[in-house]
Amino acid sequence: TAAAFDPSGRNPLERILGPSWSTMRVVLDMKKTTYIDSSAIGWLIATHRSFKEAGGALVIHDVPANIRQVLDLLQVGRVVTI
């Protein structure tokens, strides 16, 4: 959600994976996700774009049914691999 994002604007994956995070191939396990808002959807799309531009890849995995409904409704799967 919007409350979970760093106010500095840095991608949280940079803190976890280092400065070359967008060149990596990452599987994002969402099985513990209970809620997703528009900020998180925007983050997924922007992060996917960063990976694509740098030669990396992002795949979303193990998405709970209620979250999948939101992603399907917004057609996020047309942009981000689920």
Side-chain angles (χ1 to χ4, degrees):
T1 66
F5 287 102
D6 183 350
S8 73
R10 288 181 47 193
N11 193 303
L13 293 178
E14 182 177 350
R15 188 181 73 246
I16 297 165
L17 302 173
S20 63
W21 64 271
S22 59
T23 63
M24 299 176 183
R25 292 182 286 173
V26 173
V27 176
L28 182 62
D29 186 341
M30 295 185 68
K31 72 178 155 208
K32 293 183 180 181
T33 305
T34 57
Y35 176 79
I36 192 166
D37 67 3
S38 61
S39 295
I41 299 285
W43 177 82
L44 284 171
I45 293 169
T47 298
H48 166 75
R49 186 178 305 123
S50 294
F51 275 108
K52 188 174 180 179
E53 290 171 356
L58 173 66
V59 175
I60 301 171
H61 176 68
D62 209 1
V63 181
N66 62 325
I67 304 300
R68 181 64 189 246
Q69 278 184 314
V70 173
L71 297 178
D72 288 346
L73 178 69
L74 298 173
Q75 299 182 354
V76 173
R78 294 180 132 202
V79 178
V80 182
T81 304
I82 301 174

